[in-house]
Amino acid sequence: MIPRSTSLLRRSLLAIAATAAIVPAAFAQAPIVIKFSHVVAQDTPKGKAADYFAKRAAELTKGKVKVEVYPNSQLYKDKEEMEALQLGSVQMLAPSLSKFAPLGVKEFEVFDLPFIFDDYSDLHAVTNGPVGQNLLKKLESRGITGLAYWDNGFKVMSANKPLKSVEDFKGLKMRIQSSKVLDAQMRAVGAMPQVLAFSETYQALQTGVVDGTENPPSNLYTQKMHEVQKHVSVTNHGYLGYAVVVNKKFWDGLPADVRTALNKAMADATKVANEVALKDNQDALAAVKASGKSVIYSPSIGERFLLKKAMVPVHKQMASRIGQETIDEIYKVTGFDPSKL
Ligand code: LMR
């Protein structure tokens, strides 16, 4: 006969074994959570692409990964989200390319140079080629892995007065992103740049803290900035796009098969992002027009040329900050030659 104490021990061991058999299964099912924070509305190119990525990531990893998207600066504003990524409080972001210089990677401000890209095809030749890929690699030393470039679009200028000629910008307080190149661009036309977080821009325009701003139409419209700006000028003077980035330590620590699936989900989301960006910006401009709240002005070829002439000297002025080499690499890809102006 088994002594009572031994049988009790056996029963306890059996109970522990049974629990142990259940617990690992429960752990195995707990998905890896990726918090993806961004500052724009859900119905923007970035917002839609982030949601699509979340869906594709769940499909391709068969539920092993759950991407939680937090739009509209719900979690963090521009500057804080970068810090949160580096600390690992969030795992993924898609900040605009203008927002990487404060991390010390000043080369990214090359994308802010006015009139450096004529169109999306110029831009994609850069982002899909070695220049764009080498720029992403520079983020590694900051604990960040760059996964992809996502488009938004070419920027319009807005204010409460018509912006037709260079003189019209004189003395205007213009909200910009935290980029020294954008600062120089606004000063080149006599405006007074003011850095503000994206989430604070609408109110600053509404209360007159600033007079105007620049952004692609999709951002202008989804933030309702056109309701507090009487005039929009379709200058297409510069580009605004994103780098999708992830905390490097988190990314490197993922199982290889999960990383492969997420890379595929990202490639699919990038395709969607760029298609949506093109369409949303056209639609947004039409919607601003239809709202009747802002008058849309399309500068003539001559007016645009004068704006270009006033702004392009910023390329030379900013060369020591960005690196002439990076600027030249882009000129080589796009064929832009500032001396021919
Ligand atoms: C801005 O601050 O104007 C943009 O970078 C916002 C965004 O993420 O599109």
Side-chain angles (χ1 to χ4, degrees), residues 19-295:
T19 316
I22 297 165
V23 170
F27 274 132
Q29 279 163 18
I32 300 166
V33 173
I34 296 182
K35 287 196 173 126
F36 188 154
S37 170
H38 68 81
V39 299
V40 293
Q42 209 171 359
D43 58 341
T44 52
K46 176 160 63 179
K48 290 177 189 170
D51 289 347
Y52 182 80
F53 172 71
K55 181 172 149 285
R56 270 316 263 154
E59 282 165 9
L60 294 175
T61 64
K62 304 197 169 40
K64 277 192 219 159
V65 171
K66 182 168 188 280
V67 180
E68 295 173 356
V69 183
Y70 298 92
N72 251 329
S73 307
Q74 223 173 71
L75 283 188
Y76 301 105
K77 294 197 239 172
D78 299 316
K79 196 164 151 276
E80 300 148 6
E81 69 171 16
M82 282 292 197
E83 285 160 10
L85 181 76
Q86 287 180 299
L87 290 172
S89 314
V90 291
Q91 288 69 40
M92 198 173 272
L93 305 174
S96 83
L97 301 168
S98 323
K99 290 174 186 166
F100 288 94
L103 285 184
V105 197
K106 295 176 189 151
E107 294 90 332
F108 269 86
E109 285 182 355
V110 77
F111 291 102
D112 292 332
L113 287 172
F115 293 97
I116 194 163
F117 305 110
D118 268 346
D119 48 31
Y120 284 107
S121 95
D122 266 4
L123 177 90
H124 292 158
V126 172
T127 50
N128 296 334
V131 184
Q133 298 312 306
N134 287 337
L135 280 172
L136 289 183
K137 286 201 195 98
K138 289 190 192 287
L139 297 172
E140 301 266 324
S141 65
R142 301 296 187 277
I144 293 173
T145 300
L147 297 181
Y149 288 98
W150 284 357
D151 282 337
N152 189 334
F154 287 83
K155 293 177 284 187
V156 298
M157 294 278 199
S158 68
N160 281 321
K161 62 181 270 200
L163 298 170
K164 296 184 179 177
S165 70
V166 174
E167 286 68 42
D168 295 331
F169 289 89
K170 281 215 162 64
L172 287 184
K173 272 183 275 161
M174 298 293 280
R175 179 269 169 175
I176 55 161
Q177 306 177 78
S178 59
S179 155
K180 290 282 182 284
V181 167
L182 297 179
D183 183 288
Q185 168 204 275
M186 290 302 185
R187 289 184 197 281
V189 290
M192 295 184 291
Q194 191 156 331
V195 173
L196 280 178
F198 184 66
S199 57
E200 289 159 11
T201 304
Y202 172 86
Q203 208 187 354
L205 291 168
Q206 189 187 34
T207 55
V209 168
V210 289
D211 302 309
T213 190
E214 56 163 20
N215 236 302
S218 61
N219 276 350
L220 181 97
Y221 179 66
T222 53
Q223 293 294 317
K224 302 193 189 334
M225 292 182 202
H226 64 292
E227 294 184 2
V228 289
Q229 295 276 267
K230 292 197 176 70
H231 294 269
V232 172
S233 192
V234 189
T235 45
N236 291 328
H237 59 283
Y239 170 78
L240 189 153
Y242 309 107
V244 189
V245 291
V246 69
N247 177 291
K248 179 169 159 38
K249 202 160 151 216
F250 168 80
W251 186 248
D252 292 347
L254 289 173
D257 63 323
V258 168
R259 246 194 337 261
T260 306
L262 290 179
N263 272 323
K264 169 84 177 87
M266 186 52 68
D268 293 350
T270 301
K271 218 167 150 268
V272 167
N274 295 353
E275 282 165 12
V276 167
L278 192 62
K279 182 169 184 312
D280 273 20
N281 279 304
Q282 285 165 354
D283 291 353
L285 209 52
V288 171
K289 198 172 191 171
S291 77
K293 305 233 154 127
S294 286
V295 178

Side-chain angles (χ1 to χ4, degrees), residues 1-27:
M1 189 182 142
I2 306 167
R4 197 176 144 71
S5 60
T6 316
S7 104
L8 249 179
L9 181 70
R10 247 185 69 191
R11 262 187 286 159
S12 310
L13 287 174
L14 279 175
I16 291 168
T19 316
I22 297 165
V23 170
F27 274 132

